[in-house]
Amino acid sequence: MTKPHDPLYEPHLDGEDGDLENGPGERVAKALARAGVASRREVERLIEAGRVAINGKVLTTPAVKVAPGDFLTVDGQLVAEREPTRIFRYHKPTGLMTTHNDPKGRPTVFGSLPKDLPRLISVGRLDLNSEGLLLLTNDGELSRALETPSNAWVRRYRARAFGDTTQAKLDRLKDGITVEGVKYGSIEAKIDKAHDKAGGGKNIWITVSLSEGKNREVRKVLEALGLKVNRLIRMSYGPFALGPLEAGQIEEVGPRVIRELMEGIISEENMPTGDRPKFGGIAAAVKAPGTPGGGDLQRRGAPRADRAVAVDAPEKPEKPVYKAGWAKPKKKVSPHAPSKGASKGIAQPKAKRAPKSIDSKFIDIGKPAARGKPAAARPGAKPAEGAARRVSEKPGRAAPRSGPKPGGGAGGRGPAPRGNAPRGGPKR
């Protein structure tokens, strides 16, 4: 008679070998890791703390297998069935701990993610003051596989360090280095640029590439060379790069990319299908989860939920923005367009008079014409001497007019003023 399945059955207590390797189901640590709850090591800690249960029975050892149909819970919450592997690129800002729960109550990466995402775990860690690319996944087995140095995935960082060094000193890191009894593998470091600081010393930008990724490896190795790292950015992890992601933004890697890059690392049953990710676009949490309205997504190209969107509203053209000191272009007016105010009966200003010709600048001073009538030239008379002399050649005298004032004389409104008449003219 077959014994009923008991997830808490411990065969070593009664001398039997059990069927942990060949029996149905999988180990509880592996099941929780594949479900994205935590890595295997973290699952063991959860079990020791009494937070994991199968079918209502609290586990005391990780040497337990979960069979199909069992109810697996963590902290009383039912663990969902395993879904295909998903990977996310996240730009971790400084000031966040890479953990789900911090004993000191500091803000965490997973507490700042959008609430619509599944439960995720990180591939490696970035410390509190480090920033840059952090890979997140729902597959604990994949997380563990990508962290091991055997995969030889290169992590590339840009470090800003205070101090002074040479490229020759950095080249020695290719042979490895031992710091405080810890041996670090081959590291490739290259000086990018250096800036002098006001108080003396230099800030040096260094590109560091390594494949082990031990705890605070970049900081400790550079400190051993006399450099103090004051900024550290992870630019890439294996084939995944930070790209244009801004701090706090997250983007899902497409299923096709996962199939191409993770072949042989992810099992066939966990390999995602399709071409498009479930989580579209680039998004960041508008506010941190746990705060009023927190955890809502703000996606690139999509309106926020808390902002009303007018339907079929006419779009207003944006006004051009000019820099200070730039002249604004004048509006072009059509010559055929009616003038402003013409339709409202507003009096229009008079047209400007045409400029005087050059002939008006010369006068005949030989014999002035009578008032009101132009002088008639006698037949055969010769012009007087200096008849075409410029007025400007006689300083101190008012310039006599060559003819009737515009609007006066023949057809005008009246005679010219008496003060403008030239001397020697006819007297009344």
Side-chain angles (χ1 to χ4, degrees):
M1 181 177 178
T2 304
K3 295 182 179 180
H5 170 68
D6 185 1
L8 301 183
Y9 173 63
E10 300 178 358
H12 63 278
L13 297 180
D14 55 6
E16 298 183 10
D17 294 334
D19 55 356
L20 289 178
E21 299 298 332
N22 301 321
E26 58 184 352
R27 288 177 178 266
V28 62
K30 186 175 181 180
L32 291 176
R34 287 187 179 277
V37 174
S39 64
R40 289 194 182 188
R41 292 181 180 179
E42 293 178 348
V43 168
E44 293 177 359
R45 299 190 189 100
L46 294 176
I47 293 175
E48 292 177 0
R51 299 169 58 184
V52 182
I54 299 180
N55 299 331
K57 297 181 180 180
V58 179
L59 300 185
T60 58
T61 174
V64 176
K65 298 191 73 173
V66 182
D70 286 341
F71 295 97
L72 182 60
T73 59
V74 177
D75 294 333
Q77 299 294 326
L78 184 65
V79 178
E81 294 185 2
R82 183 176 60 201
E83 64 174 349
T85 298
R86 300 174 69 182
I87 301 175
F88 296 81
R89 295 185 305 114
Y90 174 63
H91 187 163
K92 175 195 171 299
T94 57
L96 297 180
M97 296 293 296
T98 311
T99 182
H100 286 87
N101 297 291
D102 182 64
K104 298 182 180 180
R106 291 170 293 186
T108 66
V109 167
F110 302 99
S112 301
L113 293 178
K115 61 185 179 182
D116 291 350
L117 297 178
R119 182 178 176 87
L120 301 173
I121 57 178
S122 63
V123 179
R125 294 174 181 266
L126 288 175
D127 58 36
L128 181 67
N129 297 320
S130 298
E131 56 188 300
L133 178 64
L134 183 65
L135 294 181
L136 305 174
T137 180
N138 64 337
D139 190 341
E141 287 295 306
L142 175 63
S143 172
R144 179 59 182 166
L146 299 183
E147 292 174 357
T148 57
S150 59
N151 285 321
W153 273 24
V154 177
R155 292 88 153 163
R156 185 166 58 89
Y157 298 82
R158 289 203 70 203
R160 187 182 65 188
F162 178 75
D164 194 7
T165 188
T166 61
Q167 186 61 48
K169 292 181 181 180
L170 296 177
D171 290 340
R172 299 173 189 171
L173 297 177
K174 295 181 180 180
D175 300 328
I177 186 175
T178 301
V179 180
E180 298 179 355
V182 180
K183 182 173 178 57
Y184 297 97
S186 177
I187 299 175
E188 183 178 351
K190 181 181 178 182
I191 297 178
D192 294 333
K193 56 184 177 180
H195 297 286
D196 295 332
K197 292 197 69 175
K202 292 182 179 180
N203 266 333
I204 305 175
W205 279 100
I206 304 174
T207 298
V208 182
S209 301
L210 49 91
S211 58
E212 284 188 341
K214 293 181 179 178
N215 183 29
R216 300 176 63 86
E217 181 172 352
V218 176
R219 297 181 184 272
K220 292 180 179 179
V221 168
L222 294 183
E223 286 178 3
L225 299 181
L227 301 174
K228 180 66 174 178
V229 177
N230 48 42
R231 188 176 183 185
L232 186 61
I233 310 171
R234 182 191 281 168
M235 305 302 297
S236 63
Y237 194 107
F240 301 102
L242 179 63
L245 284 179
E246 298 180 1
Q249 288 186 335
I250 185 171
E251 182 179 27
E252 184 172 5
V253 179
R256 181 182 300 178
V257 178
I258 295 178
R259 292 195 298 268
E260 293 176 356
L261 299 179
M262 299 295 155
E263 185 178 3
I265 302 177
I266 301 177
S267 59
E268 290 296 331
E269 61 270 16
N270 276 5
M271 196 67 78
T273 58
D275 295 330
R276 295 184 179 181
K278 297 180 180 179
F279 185 80
I282 298 177
V286 177
K287 297 180 181 179
T291 61
D296 294 333
L297 298 184
Q298 183 179 4
R299 301 190 178 185
R300 182 175 61 182
R304 282 175 47 175
D306 57 346
R307 295 181 180 178
V309 180
V311 180
D312 298 335
E315 297 182 357
K316 295 183 179 180
E318 297 182 357
K319 295 183 178 180
V321 180
Y322 302 99
K323 293 184 179 180
W326 283 22
K328 297 182 179 180
K330 297 182 179 179
K331 296 181 179 180
K332 295 182 180 180
V333 181
S334 174
H336 305 288
S339 57
K340 293 183 178 179
S343 60
K344 298 181 180 180
I346 302 176
Q348 303 300 317
K350 296 181 179 180
K352 292 184 179 180
R353 297 175 180 175
K356 296 181 179 180
S357 65
I358 194 170
D359 297 336
S360 64
K361 297 182 179 181
F362 297 90
I363 60 174
D364 185 1
I365 63 175
K367 190 173 182 180
R371 189 191 307 266
K373 293 184 179 181
R378 289 179 297 177
K382 296 182 180 180
E385 184 180 356
R389 187 176 301 172
R390 288 182 178 274
V391 180
S392 60
E393 294 180 359
K394 291 186 177 184
R397 295 187 61 181
R401 298 183 180 273
S402 60
K405 184 179 179 181
R413 296 180 182 178
R418 181 174 298 179
N420 293 339
R423 293 183 181 182
K427 296 181 181 181
R428 290 187 177 181

